[in-house]
């Protein structure tokens, strides 16, 4: 078995850091300070927010406080799918009407272009390739879901999405047993760490103060408290996503869900010729416990999925290490999709956490009475969404401080959404583990007993988790 755990680099934050290097850390906070806006967390959400606020109002004194180094979290570990999916859109359609949800979807489509345009304009070289997103079906039940998904997306105004049969799918990527796929142009592959490092450098060059190795232990109105001092500011923006549970009073706000990835060694030209994938689309599937993958700029496959989904008590990090069983499971998906790659070595494996709200809906909020804001709960679709959230936080702060009025972004239905907290343990752990165990059983059943009906088990799991 070529993925054998001993030959795999496990952790080290992520493969992307092995590829591009762990950055030298910036100075921590050195005593009490004041600012106009303090941002907690130096991932995409925090850094994009600093970027857009500073661009809009260069006089603002903005401070970013990061517990380790910018990009330590999911922004330095993700699959590099910059795409137009947003968690909770259907629920927002139910709460605010179809038209509002269509506006949200349109904003997400535009966000993909926004990220590509701004990174280009700022000289951030992040291996961006706009090849769209290809999602494949490999069983009759997945094909039925794929067709329904395709119709559903069209109904949100995505007229340029296409539906392919087996042959057209193989012309793009030769996934074993693929019977169909859907492709959207609203997606690009990128190198997550190059993006986050580039963003941190750009915001610093604009005059934003960035302190690293500075964990915030408590956020209160107008205060961000750290062991090195307290930063006081009229606006305190929480951009900590999957790590939010570690903040005082936030234990049950967003559940830290794990996602794990592997990266192969670089494939040979012959191996690429056997697979295709010339368009560098990001690749996903229609399994209940879905996978996601990209062809990296240096010719590897980076592939992710759900390993152990959640650690008891909302524990988060071990610098990206993942379980040997998860490496094996991801390797099994790789070779099931591409049997010709059975001998290819897995070079690296890692994991990270993403934030899941109780109703699985991403949100962006500014509480006008306290000046506290937050954005996240992206449920694994945060690479583009963080940018939309950041521009929205900019508009909300500007609106509140009288520098601007309502905008198209502040009127989007995910703004100021309220959600209840997760259950206490052990119910959180039981619920999430039960859900993913059920998804995996449903996927197995659909593979072993092909039929066009989605396994009923998956619906039970959805209800169990409060997803639908
Ligand atoms: C393995 C994996 C694969 C993924 N793949 C994709 C993908 O392909 N496409 C996609 O759209 N999304 C993907 N996601 C999700 C996406 O990466 C995230 O939604 C996004 O990066 C969130 O950005 P963020 O800035 O909100 O959070 P993060 O990037 O997690 O940043 C939060 C930051 O806050 C810091 N922090 C936390 N607590 C504190 C504190 N108390 N004090 C100071 N600092 C603190 C952390 O160190 C971290 O740097 C993936 C996630 C994972 C884990």
């Amino acid at each position: 078995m070529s993925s054998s755990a001993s030959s795999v680099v496990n952790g080290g934050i992520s493969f992307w850091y092995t590829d591009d290097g762990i950055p030298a850390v910036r100075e921590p906070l050195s005593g009490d300070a004041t600012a106009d806006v303090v941002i907690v967390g130096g991932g995409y959400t925090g850094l994009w927010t600093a970027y857009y606020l500073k661009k809009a109002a260069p006089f603002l004194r903005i401070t970013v406080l990061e517990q380790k180094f910018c990009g330590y979290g999911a922004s330095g570990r993700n699959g590099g799918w910059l795409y137009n999916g947003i968690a909770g859109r259907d629920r927002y359609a139910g709460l605010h009407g179809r038209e509002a949800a269509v506006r949200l979807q349109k904003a997400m489509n535009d966000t993909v272009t926004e990220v590509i345009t701004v990174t280009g304009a700022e000289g951030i070289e992040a291996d961006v390739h706009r090849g769209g997103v290809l999602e494949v079906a490999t069983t009759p039940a997945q094909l039925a879901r794929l067709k329904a998904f395709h119709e559903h997306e069209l109904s949100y105004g995505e007229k340029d999405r296409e539906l392919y049969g087996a042959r057209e799918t193989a012309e793009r990527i030769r996934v074993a047993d693929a019977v169909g796929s859907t492709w959207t142009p609203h997606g690009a592959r990128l190198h997550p760490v190059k993006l986050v490092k580039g963003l941190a450098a750009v915001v610093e060059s604009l005059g934003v103060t960035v302190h690293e190795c500075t964990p915030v232990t408590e956020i209160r109105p107008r205060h961000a408290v750290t062991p090195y001092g307290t930063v006081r500011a009229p606006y305190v923006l929480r951009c900590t996503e999957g790590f939010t549970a570690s903040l005082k009073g936030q234990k049950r706000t967003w559940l830290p869900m794990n996602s794990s990835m592997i990266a192969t060694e670089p494939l040979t030209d012959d191996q690429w010729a056997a697979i295709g994938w010339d368009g560098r689309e990001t690749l996903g599937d229609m399994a209940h416990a879905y996978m996601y993958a990209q062809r990296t700029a240096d010719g590897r496959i980076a592939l992710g999925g759900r390993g152990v989904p959640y650690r008891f008590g909302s524990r988060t990090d071990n610098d990206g290490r993942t379980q040997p069983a998860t490496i094996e499971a991801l390797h099994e998906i790789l070779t099931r999709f591409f049997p010709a790659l059975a001998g290819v070595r897995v070079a690296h494996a890692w994991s990270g956490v993403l934030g899941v709200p109780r109703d699985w809906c991403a949100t962006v909020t500014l509480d006008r009475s306290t000046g506290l804001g937050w954005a996240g709960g992206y449920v694994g679709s945060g690479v583009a969404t963080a940018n939309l959230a950041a521009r929205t936080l900019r508009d909300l702060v500007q609106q509140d401080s009288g520098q601007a009025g309502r905008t198209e972004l502040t009127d989007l239905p995910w703004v100021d959404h309220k959600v209840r907290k997760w259950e206490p343990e052990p119910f959180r752990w039981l619920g999430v583990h039960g859900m993913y165990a059920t998804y995996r059983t449903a996927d197995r059943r659909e593979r072993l007993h092909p039929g066009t009906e989605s396994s009923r088990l998956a619906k039970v799991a959805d209800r169990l988790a409060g997803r639908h």
Side-chain angles (χ1 to χ4, degrees), residues 170 193-194 196 248 283 378 418 457 463:
V193 159
K194 290 183 182 175
V196 77
K248 189 173 175 191
L283 171 68
Y378 309 128
K418 303 272 181 305
L457 276 177
R463 269 201 294 279

Side-chain angles (χ1 to χ4, degrees), residues 40-47 65-83 85 196 214-218 239-244 246-247 257-261 292 305 350-355 375-386:
V40 181
Y44 297 146
T45 305
L47 294 172
L65 301 175
E66 161 57 47
Q67 62 171 351
K68 300 266 182 161
F69 55 85
C70 290
Y72 176 78
S75 301
R77 309 184 194 198
N78 63 73
W81 278 47
L82 172 74
Y83 83 118
V196 77
T214 306
V216 172
T217 50
E218 185 182 355
C239 302
T240 51
E241 247 271 296
F243 298 87
T244 301
S246 65
L247 283 161
M257 182 81 82
N258 287 306
S259 198
S260 294
M261 295 198 68
Y292 52 91
W350 70 99
S351 69
V353 284
L354 43 100
Y378 309 128
V379 195
S381 298
V383 175
T385 316

Side-chain angles (χ1 to χ4, degrees), residues 332-390:
E332 188 276 324
I333 296 173
L334 176 78
T335 53
R336 179 153 42 83
F337 271 49
F338 305 112
L341 301 187
V344 168
R345 199 175 67 83
V346 173
H348 207 127
W350 70 99
S351 69
V353 284
L354 43 100
V356 182
R358 187 64 187 88
D359 64 355
W360 302 71
C361 292
T363 185
V364 49
T365 295
L366 181 70
D367 180 339
R368 278 78 170 169
S369 62
T370 60
L372 295 178
W374 56 89
Y378 309 128
V379 195
S381 298
V383 175
T385 316
N387 176 282
L388 179 62

Side-chain angles (χ1 to χ4, degrees), residues 54-284:
K54 194 73 183 169
K55 281 279 191 184
F59 54 85
L60 283 180
R61 294 171 307 139
I62 302 172
T63 297
V64 175
L65 301 175
E66 161 57 47
Q67 62 171 351
K68 300 266 182 161
F69 55 85
C70 290
Y72 176 78
S75 301
R77 309 184 194 198
N78 63 73
W81 278 47
L82 172 74
Y83 83 118
N84 65 342
I86 180 161
R89 181 197 58 191
D90 291 350
R91 199 179 290 259
Y92 287 127
L95 290 170
H96 299 274
R98 189 88 187 163
E99 177 275 331
V102 169
R103 278 192 284 116
L104 183 60
Q105 185 58 63
K106 165 91 175 46
M108 281 302 299
N109 298 351
D110 295 345
T111 298
V112 173
T113 304
E114 168 78 10
V115 172
I116 295 171
T117 306
V118 175
T119 50
E122 295 293 352
I124 300 172
E125 176 39 67
D127 296 341
V128 177
H129 184 97
R130 188 167 192 161
V133 181
L134 188 76
E135 281 153 297
V136 300
T138 56
T139 65
Q142 285 189 20
L143 186 61
R145 282 202 295 280
L146 180 90
K147 288 178 179 164
F149 169 65
H150 176 78
E151 282 301 311
H152 199 57
E153 297 308 295
L154 293 187
S155 76
Y156 280 99
E158 205 181 312
K159 302 291 177 230
D160 38 11
R161 178 177 280 275
E162 297 187 18
L163 186 65
Y164 297 141
R167 188 168 346 124
E168 291 158 299
T169 303
E171 281 165 10
R172 285 187 175 259
I173 309 178
R174 283 185 279 289
V175 175
D177 300 326
V179 286
S181 61
T182 174
W183 178 84
T184 173
H186 301 288
R189 168 214 75 190
L190 55 73
H191 188 304
V193 159
K194 290 183 182 175
L195 174 58
V196 77
K197 277 188 186 176
L199 263 179
V202 167
V203 301
E204 220 175 12
S205 74
L206 291 174
V208 171
T209 304
V210 182
H211 290 299
E212 297 186 326
C213 298
T214 306
V216 172
T217 50
E218 185 182 355
I219 293 176
R220 307 197 289 270
R222 288 168 263 286
H223 294 74
V225 181
T226 88
Y228 304 110
T230 294
V231 184
R232 290 180 173 73
Y235 298 101
V236 183
L237 308 179
R238 192 185 81 215
C239 302
T240 51
E241 247 271 296
F243 298 87
T244 301
S246 65
L247 283 161
K248 189 173 175 191
Q250 304 293 341
K251 187 93 179 158
R252 289 159 50 205
T253 302
W254 291 335
L255 182 139
M257 182 81 82
N258 287 306
S259 198
S260 294
M261 295 198 68
I262 54 171
T264 66
E265 61 190 348
L267 305 191
T268 63
D269 290 347
D270 285 350
Q271 285 164 332
W272 280 119
I275 292 173
W277 212 335
D278 295 333
R280 274 81 171 159
E281 304 86 347
T282 58
L283 171 68

Side-chain angles (χ1 to χ4, degrees), residues 421-444:
K421 289 185 184 279
W422 282 89
E423 290 76 0
E425 296 290 23
F427 303 106
R428 276 204 306 283
W429 188 91
L430 287 170
V432 175
H433 278 258
M435 178 182 81
Y436 276 101
T438 311
Y439 281 160
R440 277 191 285 268
T441 307
D443 284 332
R444 224 173 10 253

